Amino acid sequence: MTEANQKDIIVSTANLTKTFDTKVATEKGWEQKQVKAVTDISLEIVRGETLALVGESGCGKTTLGRILSLFYTPTSGEFDLNGENVVGLKRKHIKPLRQHVQMIFQDPMSSLNPRHTVESILTEPMKIFGSGNAEENRKKAGDLLESAGLPREDLRKYPHEFSGGQRQRITIARALALNPAFIVADEPVSALDVSVQSQILNLMKDLREEFNLTYLFISHDLAVVHHLADRIAVMYLGRIVEIAPRDSLFEHAVHPYTRALLGSVPTVKPNKGKIGRILQGDPPSPIDPPAGCPFNPRCAHATDLCRQEVPTLDVSRMGAAHQVACHLKDEL
């Protein structure tokens, strides 16, 4: 990646936080509480790269993805998309930005209207944003379908006539309908057979090159992430605890949580203790997070400092591109 590309930032956030109101059962009855699903997220995504976001279920990956795809409004912090500050914009000003960012969902069947043909599904975004006439939209829909690996003749079919992998190809084609620069892919292959996953991942890589796309790829599967990502951000309980280039993270993971995740990846080679212990226990509830480092209750290396202060995301000994939020990052 060139120096010029490194400065071409398409997504930038600073201290991005999202809270939700919820009711919690107590001895006195139901109590209203605010729960932080995402806390102090600061990151940059370079145009043309794939940043993977990994972590256990419930860590805030999907919430962050939906903020960056303009589904959710952040509670606080800064969020710039294509150089424009999104925070505080009114709905009428956010709508034009939606064509620059699209989302690919986990389950293609539930995200496709079963009563619409493929042609209707692909041309609907174009109609909403007034892009082209009916004939132009139909031709573009056919071109997108072919780019996604399906024949143009499938435009007349309905979603139930396709396999899971083919339906995901349709959702990918729909995401490209408005020529977006940034795509959030939320577990796009986890609902598919293993034999189909590699086909969809290779398709996404090819489309990134063809359409100059930028991806935020959300996943819990580190083996899948290794195939596609340029950089990887690891989330735990709403915070990013480590972010690094793919090879640096896989070969020199620093944070105990990242090391445990890598130690849990199935491999044909025996784990001889070089990566770390297998992850044990369940993450704390975001309703009642622990004091200090959020990982300290499950960390074998936790000290009193870890239990008292939240570590900041800072550069590690691996270099400026490899950042870690751990008090013991220089010792591990």
Side-chain angles (χ1 to χ4, degrees):
M1 197 175 292
T2 65
E3 185 70 23
N5 286 335
Q6 289 179 348
K7 296 179 181 178
D8 191 4
I9 307 298
I10 190 169
V11 172
S12 175
T13 73
N15 304 118
L16 200 66
T17 298
K18 177 65 177 178
T19 61
F20 292 99
D21 291 328
T22 187
K23 290 184 178 180
V24 180
T26 66
E27 295 179 354
K28 299 179 180 179
W30 292 98
E31 180 181 330
Q32 191 82 13
K33 289 198 71 173
Q34 282 195 332
V35 178
K36 284 187 176 182
V38 169
T39 306
D40 291 335
I41 300 294
S42 298
L43 57 80
E44 293 179 339
I45 304 177
V46 178
R47 190 180 303 276
E49 79 164 338
T50 297
L51 174 67
L53 190 63
V54 302
E56 293 171 284
S57 296
C59 70
K61 304 187 302 293
T62 293
T63 299
L64 178 58
R66 295 197 172 205
I67 293 173
L68 300 187
S69 56
L70 305 178
F71 278 84
Y72 292 160
T73 301
T75 304
S76 62
E78 298 295 324
F79 170 27
D80 288 0
L81 177 63
N82 257 343
E84 183 168 355
N85 185 14
V86 176
V87 178
L89 286 181
K90 295 182 179 179
R91 180 175 296 182
K92 65 179 181 179
H93 295 135
I94 289 180
K95 181 181 177 181
L97 296 177
R98 294 189 188 278
Q99 57 190 314
H100 301 302
V101 52
Q102 294 292 308
M103 194 164 188
I104 301 171
F105 297 94
Q106 178 177 359
D107 183 4
M109 192 59 192
S110 63
S111 64
L112 297 174
N113 192 325
R115 298 184 179 183
H116 287 194
T117 64
V118 174
E119 179 181 333
S120 176
I121 289 170
L122 296 186
T123 57
E124 184 179 20
M126 307 176 201
K127 295 175 183 177
I128 292 174
F129 284 89
S131 173
N133 56 43
E135 185 60 33
E136 292 171 339
N137 291 345
R138 187 179 300 111
K139 181 183 182 304
K140 183 175 181 180
D143 293 341
L144 291 173
L145 203 60
E146 289 182 339
S147 294
L150 294 175
R152 188 179 295 264
E153 292 73 25
D154 284 349
L155 285 173
R156 65 175 69 96
K157 293 183 179 180
Y158 289 84
H160 73 270
E161 300 180 69
F162 297 91
S163 67
Q166 290 171 327
R167 286 194 287 265
Q168 196 62 293
R169 290 176 185 270
I170 294 169
T171 64
I172 291 172
R174 179 180 61 184
L176 299 175
L178 296 173
N179 305 313
F182 178 51
I183 290 181
V184 176
D186 187 4
E187 302 270 12
V189 298
S190 63
L192 306 178
D193 293 340
V194 174
S195 60
V196 180
Q197 289 184 3
S198 61
Q199 299 175 20
I200 299 300
L201 293 174
N202 288 331
L203 171 64
M204 292 182 67
K205 290 179 71 174
D206 293 341
L207 292 176
R208 184 181 72 170
E209 300 299 322
E210 181 179 352
F211 293 96
N212 191 28
L213 300 173
T214 305
Y215 290 132
L216 176 70
F217 188 89
I218 300 171
S219 180
H220 66 277
D221 190 334
L222 284 164
V224 167
V225 163
H226 188 272
H227 183 74
L228 190 68
D230 299 307
R231 289 191 300 140
I232 300 173
V234 181
M235 280 193 78
Y236 187 81
L237 208 64
R239 296 178 181 270
I240 291 179
V241 297
E242 187 162 5
I243 184 169
R246 178 194 60 197
D247 293 341
S248 180
L249 186 124
F250 271 84
E251 296 172 11
H252 307 291
V254 177
H255 198 283
Y257 177 62
T258 308
R259 293 160 66 92
L261 286 181
L262 291 171
S264 302
V265 175
T267 176
V268 294
K269 297 180 180 180
N271 179 8
K272 297 180 180 180
K274 295 180 180 179
I275 294 178
R277 68 188 182 93
I278 301 300
L279 189 60
Q280 298 178 354
D282 296 320
S285 168
I287 296 176
D288 187 23
C293 173
F295 188 61
N296 84 77
R298 304 170 74 187
C299 182
H301 308 284
T303 65
D304 289 341
L305 178 62
C306 301
R307 299 181 186 95
Q308 296 168 2
E309 295 184 16
V310 178
T312 57
L313 192 66
D314 203 357
V315 298
S316 72
R317 63 181 184 276
M318 300 304 165
H322 194 140
Q323 298 178 306
V324 185
C326 179
H327 293 302
L328 306 174
K329 63 180 183 296
D330 294 328
E331 302 172 25
L332 293 175

